[in-house]
Every structure is written in C-alpha cells, then in structure tokens.
C-alpha cells in the first residue's frame, strides 16, 4: 500500500527583525583605594560598576553606566547626558575602547560603544541603580554582568583593552 502524500507545513515567514539599538557605556576608572599592593607595585585600577534594580528587565545584572543614543546625538553627547542623569556628574569623555554587538535570545540586537572617562566633576550619586561599587578590574568576571558585556569583561580582566 502506498503511503499517502503528506502535506508540507506552510512556510513561516521569519519575524521582522528588531532594529539595532545603539548605546554607549562608560568605563570610569580610578586607582585602587588600598594604596600599594602587597608586592609593592602600583595599586590595581578599579572601575565603577552598577547593578540594575529588581524591577527592571534583566534584574540585578551588573553593567556599566550609560544608555541609549537618542536621535541627533553623537555617542559622546549621549554618554555625557546619560552620566548626568544616572550619576549626577559632568563627564569629559575619553577614548573609545571598543564596540560590541550582541544579539539577545529575544531577537533584539544591541551595539554598545565603550568609552573611558577622562575626568568628571560632581559627586557620584546613585540615581537609578540598585547599587554601585568600585571593582578591581581583575575581579569583574566574578559579577553577573549583562550578556552583551561579557566579551568586554573578559578582555578587561585579561588586560587587553586598558
């Protein structure tokens, strides 16, 4: 007996790709507070990291301060605005360190440009985060960072970028 011809499933059209979201993030650095290390070498550099609030998407993940580039803004202008909104500081943007593209499982695509901060005025004030802290660069991999930041975290910890 012949097998009946099976019908093919209708072709599914792929979901419309989500637009690329361009964001900027700051690497705010300082020399470690402990002064000299036990080996007599210069103190280890620290970087400011911030933790998302429990009520935000990707709750309690760690990230670097920054945010979305608005229409008509340069990356540097966006970062100056974001740091003022989030931390209450007026920053002078340093060099671009790297740009990372990341596709999340939900289909959203993000491109993050990371900048060093040459200097800033004002006192750091936590305006939107669950918590902020200074972390030694080598310790960054011990924190639960956003997936888009993981390549940068590895490269920083290995001394490749700074």
């Amino acid at each position: 007996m012949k097998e009946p011809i099976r019908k093919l499933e209708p072709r599914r059209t792929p979901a419309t790709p989500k637009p690329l979201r361009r964001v900027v993030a700051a690497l705010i650095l300082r020399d470690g507070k402990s002064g000299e290390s036990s080996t007599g070498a210069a103190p280890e550099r620290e970087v400011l990291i911030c933790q998302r609030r429990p009520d935000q998407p990707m709750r309690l993940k760690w990230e670097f301060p920054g945010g979305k580039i608005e229409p008509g803004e340069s990356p540097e202008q966006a970062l100056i605005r974001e740091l003022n909104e989030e931390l209450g500081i007026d920053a002078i943007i340093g060099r671009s360190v790297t740009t990372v593209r990341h596709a999340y499982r939900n289909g959203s695509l993000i491109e993050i440009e990371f900048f060093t901060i040459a200097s800033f005025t004002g006192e750091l004030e936590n305006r939107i985060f669950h918590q902020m802290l200074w972390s030694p660069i080598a310790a960054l991999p011990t924190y639960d960072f956003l997936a888009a930041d993981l390549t940068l975290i590895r490269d920083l910890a290995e001394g490749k970028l700074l």
Side-chain angles (χ1 to χ4, degrees):
M1 180 176 225
K2 279 189 167 181
E3 292 284 319
I5 297 174
R6 64 185 172 99
K7 292 184 180 177
L8 296 175
E9 292 290 321
R11 281 194 167 179
R12 293 188 183 143
T13 56
T16 307
K18 295 182 181 181
L20 174 68
R21 205 174 61 187
R22 293 185 60 225
V23 298
V24 287
L27 299 175
I28 303 174
L29 302 163
R30 73 174 189 186
D31 287 334
K33 278 194 158 189
S34 60
E36 261 189 30
S37 72
S38 58
T39 62
E44 185 174 5
R45 290 172 92 187
E46 295 177 329
V47 63
L48 184 72
I49 60 174
C50 305
Q51 189 179 39
R52 290 177 171 239
R53 293 187 322 265
D55 62 333
Q56 289 180 294
M58 294 179 261
R59 60 190 213 93
L60 301 177
K61 292 280 189 178
W62 289 91
E63 63 183 347
F64 296 99
K68 186 176 171 186
I69 300 173
E70 298 293 343
E73 282 183 322
S74 70
E76 293 85 354
Q77 290 168 329
L79 192 52
I80 289 168
R81 176 184 51 76
E82 288 285 348
L83 293 177
N84 186 272
E85 290 172 4
E86 294 178 354
L87 305 175
I89 61 172
D90 294 313
I92 296 177
I93 309 302
R95 69 180 179 91
S96 174
V97 174
T98 190
T99 300
V100 174
R101 270 195 181 198
H102 181 77
Y104 281 97
R105 281 185 262 164
N106 68 2
S108 64
L109 183 61
I110 188 170
E111 181 180 271
I112 309 171
E113 188 169 3
F114 294 90
F115 289 88
T116 60
I117 301 304
S119 65
F120 65 87
T121 57
E123 291 295 316
L124 288 170
E125 177 186 339
N126 183 354
R127 294 183 172 176
I128 67 161
F129 298 105
H130 182 63
Q131 66 176 316
M132 305 183 329
L133 59 84
W134 291 99
S135 170
I137 291 173
L140 290 174
T142 65
Y143 293 92
D144 187 17
F145 271 88
L146 294 169
D149 292 343
L150 294 178
T151 300
L152 172 82
I153 297 300
R154 183 193 66 231
D155 289 349
L156 285 172
E158 292 175 0
K160 293 181 180 176
L161 296 174
L162 297 175

